[in-house]
Amino acid sequence: MGLVKIAVVDDHKIVRDGLKSLLQETPDVEFLFDASKGQEFLSLMASFSPDIVVVDLNMSVLGGEETIRLAQRQYPKVKFIGLTASGDEWVFRMVKALGFAGLVLKQNGFDVLLQAIRVVAGGGNYFSQEFLLQLLNRSCADPIHLTEREKEILDLISQGLSTQVIAERLHLSQRTIEKHRSELLSKTNCSNSVSLVVYAMRNRLIE
């Protein structure tokens, strides 16, 4: 994998400058641009081609969900990692609705963000454990039965691994992994990997 091209969107200059400095010092990352407002972000997207956009989830920065959705429609290959100071339920609902590939709390260190970038660049999803743990106090659903193989795959999904990596690790086809993943989503009544992992943690299906 070559250099991962990164853009940063945040309304705090000190945050943008700090991330820019750290990302520019990271060997496997290429920092492309930073933006403080939605229109500025969309204008720069027309000139650059980031692989990943790290964005402050304070929606006033972007002018609303519409800006992110517009960027996703125009640049469907770009992946988004959210930064947030809150681990509240509304954050989970928002990143789920917008299809974010990752989420990192602002109180996490740069090493956690860098790990998220690398996991997402490799085709996986990354949601900081601190954020997921803050969701565990919600009420649990009725327990469900999972096969040992489903538990094994669920554990690997929770690590943010892509279908290809899971297939290689278990010596199975990607089609088989996708079939198990689909069954897990059906059993848990979840719509994607993010909600699946949160469900699994709430119901103690994974550590």
Side-chain angles (χ1 to χ4, degrees):
M1 183 171 60
L3 293 177
V4 183
K5 299 177 181 179
I6 304 293
V8 173
V9 185
D10 196 296
D11 60 347
H12 296 95
K13 189 176 188 301
I14 192 169
V15 174
R16 298 196 310 275
D17 289 348
L19 289 178
K20 176 180 179 180
S21 177
L22 291 168
L23 289 168
Q24 287 179 330
E25 295 175 358
T26 304
D28 56 341
V29 166
E30 179 182 357
F31 179 84
L32 295 184
F33 69 84
D34 63 273
S36 61
K37 298 179 180 179
Q39 191 55 52
E40 179 187 13
F41 163 61
L42 291 175
S43 297
L44 289 167
M45 285 290 287
S47 302
F48 295 90
S49 300
D51 300 308
I52 296 173
V53 177
V54 178
V55 56
D56 186 342
L57 289 181
N58 177 351
M59 299 310 290
S60 63
V61 174
L62 293 176
E65 294 183 17
E66 296 78 8
T67 305
I68 291 181
R69 294 191 185 280
L70 179 59
Q72 290 174 327
R73 287 196 298 269
Q74 293 180 342
Y75 312 100
K77 293 184 179 180
V78 177
K79 298 178 181 179
F80 288 81
I81 295 176
L83 286 179
T84 180
S86 168
D88 293 339
E89 187 78 19
W90 72 266
V91 175
F92 171 67
R93 290 197 300 268
M94 183 170 65
V95 298
K96 177 182 175 182
L98 293 174
F100 274 54
L103 179 67
V104 174
L105 294 179
K106 285 191 171 182
Q107 53 264 43
N108 291 139
F110 177 69
D111 59 326
V112 176
L113 176 59
L114 193 56
Q115 183 179 4
I117 288 172
R118 288 168 175 160
V119 169
V120 170
N125 295 285
Y126 186 95
F127 293 81
S128 71
Q129 290 191 1
E130 290 82 359
F131 168 73
L132 293 174
L133 288 172
Q134 289 185 34
L135 297 177
L136 291 181
N137 292 328
R138 309 299 191 274
S139 59
C140 296
D142 293 333
I144 61 171
H145 173 73
L146 298 180
T147 66
E148 290 304 313
R149 178 64 81 185
E150 287 173 339
K151 291 178 182 177
E152 187 176 26
I153 292 175
L154 177 58
D155 181 63
L156 294 174
I157 290 174
S158 73
Q159 297 176 38
L161 301 181
S162 66
T163 297
Q164 180 180 348
V165 173
I166 295 174
E168 292 173 352
R169 184 167 296 188
L170 298 181
H171 306 290
L172 298 171
S173 69
Q174 292 188 47
R175 184 175 181 179
T176 298
I177 300 302
E178 282 298 334
K179 183 178 179 181
H180 281 296
R181 180 180 180 277
S182 177
E183 184 64 22
L184 284 166
L185 292 174
S186 177
K187 282 186 175 183
T188 59
N189 196 29
C190 292
S191 59
N192 55 39
S193 295
V194 180
S195 53
L196 175 61
V197 171
V198 172
Y199 177 96
M201 292 187 69
R202 286 180 179 175
N203 292 278
R204 304 299 191 270
L205 298 176
I206 56 175
E207 295 297 330

